[in-house]
Amino acid sequence: MPFAWPYLDDLAKLGFKIIFVSNSPVGDADSADLKERGTKLIVRENVGLDFSMWKCALESLDLSSVSQLLLTNSSIIGPLSPLAPILERAKDWNCDFWGMTDNNELALHLQSYFIMLSEKVIQSEAFIAFWKSVLAYQSKDQIVMSYEVGLTAWLQQNGFSWRPLVYQKDVWESYVRSRDFLRRTADRIIPGRGIPMGNTSLLFPDLLLEMGVPFLKSSLLKHGSRRITTQYASELLAEHWRYDSPSLGRIETEYAVNK
């Protein structure tokens, strides 16, 4: 669990009150660390994934007193650059909820590893109704379709506006610009040719880091992706890591063991 501490500490410094939900037992040492950080710990049965866990956390809150809500999960490592400047930029975006990246697989939506929601959304009947509908699905694909895609679609249908920090289309355009002339020409003649279409957080973590997204998907250290090897993912993490070295060593060891 040490990979979580830098993130929790950064969020606490930004003024967030944190609820940490775990689907597995938490050891005494980690429980003590969480308590010392002022983090509320909820340990629950291992049913459902992130949306079911968030539902559990929200049920422990009085949402009428919440003015801003961040939903985030353990699928990411970071932040690898400060969050504060991003939160400051978001104040000028004139949208009701936002995230780090969007994705057009299945349907255009915000990726759920980091979603910030405004008071206008939190206090709405639509938001409450969404969480009442959440079931503890075990299938990741079903969760993505029903809830990751569904949350963006449902809130948009109910009149709420949204945006990502970095747009998927801008990542693709950056990738195409980096290619040589002949390959760029081929991309234009045959749309999509040579471009690894899909989840940019898995395919283009190097570009996303350059464009200001402060997280790396943890699965890249285990499995890589069509474009990113596990070795390159480790190099990206080491290059952008901004905390003490022992923490990085523990993370790399943890993922090496769990491959």
Side-chain angles (χ1 to χ4, degrees):
M1 194 182 288
F3 69 88
W5 299 154
Y7 192 13
L8 297 179
D9 289 343
D10 278 14
L11 291 177
K13 290 174 184 176
L14 291 169
F16 286 94
K17 301 298 182 182
I18 302 168
I19 301 176
F20 189 100
V21 183
S22 176
N23 274 9
S24 58
V26 176
D28 292 341
D30 287 334
S31 296
D33 280 344
L34 289 169
K35 184 176 181 180
E36 184 178 336
R37 286 171 163 80
T39 298
K40 179 178 180 179
L41 172 63
I42 298 176
V43 179
R44 64 193 294 272
E45 185 182 359
N46 187 18
V47 291
L49 299 177
D50 49 7
F51 277 86
S52 181
M53 297 165 77
W54 289 329
K55 179 180 181 178
C56 179
L58 293 176
E59 289 174 344
S60 74
L61 282 174
D62 175 10
L63 289 178
S64 65
S65 64
V66 177
S67 60
Q68 192 175 48
L69 178 69
L70 169 63
L71 302 176
T72 188
N73 63 31
S74 61
S75 71
I76 49 176
I77 298 173
L80 302 177
S81 58
L83 280 171
I86 299 173
L87 301 185
E88 193 62 30
R89 284 176 58 190
K91 293 178 181 178
D92 299 324
W93 285 345
N94 192 32
C95 64
D96 301 310
F97 64 107
W98 60 275
M100 291 294 168
T101 48
D102 59 346
N103 186 4
N104 69 355
E105 292 177 305
L106 302 177
L108 187 62
H109 63 281
L110 279 178
Q111 294 192 278
S112 62
Y113 62 84
F114 186 107
I115 298 180
M116 188 77 76
L117 303 119
S118 68
E119 184 174 13
K120 181 179 175 183
V121 174
I122 300 164
Q123 306 300 336
S124 69
E125 293 183 4
F127 185 72
I128 302 300
F130 175 85
W131 291 104
K132 286 182 178 178
S133 74
V134 170
L135 301 175
Y137 293 139
Q138 294 297 97
S139 164
K140 183 176 179 180
D141 290 342
Q142 192 169 24
I143 290 169
V144 169
M145 185 66 238
S146 298
Y147 301 141
E148 180 172 67
V149 175
L151 178 60
T152 300
W154 175 249
L155 293 179
Q156 183 171 304
Q157 288 170 18
N158 280 274
F160 296 109
S161 59
W162 63 278
R163 61 158 289 171
L165 169 68
V166 174
Y167 288 92
Q168 186 179 50
K169 61 181 179 61
D170 293 336
V171 181
W172 289 340
E173 288 174 3
S174 177
Y175 174 75
V176 171
R177 285 197 302 271
S178 72
R179 293 156 69 79
D180 61 42
F181 174 78
L182 291 177
R183 290 191 175 190
R184 288 201 303 272
T185 301
D187 291 337
R188 292 192 182 95
I189 295 172
I190 306 175
R193 175 177 173 176
I195 304 179
M197 307 293 280
N199 187 333
T200 55
S201 65
L202 297 178
L203 294 173
F204 301 107
D206 47 349
L207 298 183
L208 289 175
L209 287 165
E210 290 176 8
M211 299 170 81
V213 173
F215 295 107
L216 183 74
K217 277 287 190 173
S218 60
S219 65
L220 292 171
L221 297 179
K222 299 179 185 179
H223 312 299
S225 70
R226 280 183 289 145
R227 181 173 171 269
I228 303 296
T229 64
T230 55
Q231 176 63 33
Y232 186 36
S234 294
E235 291 171 0
L236 285 173
L237 180 60
E239 178 185 349
H240 291 273
W241 190 250
R242 64 188 183 94
Y243 304 97
D244 61 284
S245 296
S247 294
L248 177 58
R250 288 196 298 270
I251 290 171
E252 291 178 326
T253 300
E254 179 174 339
Y255 282 102
V257 168
N258 287 311
K259 282 183 182 178

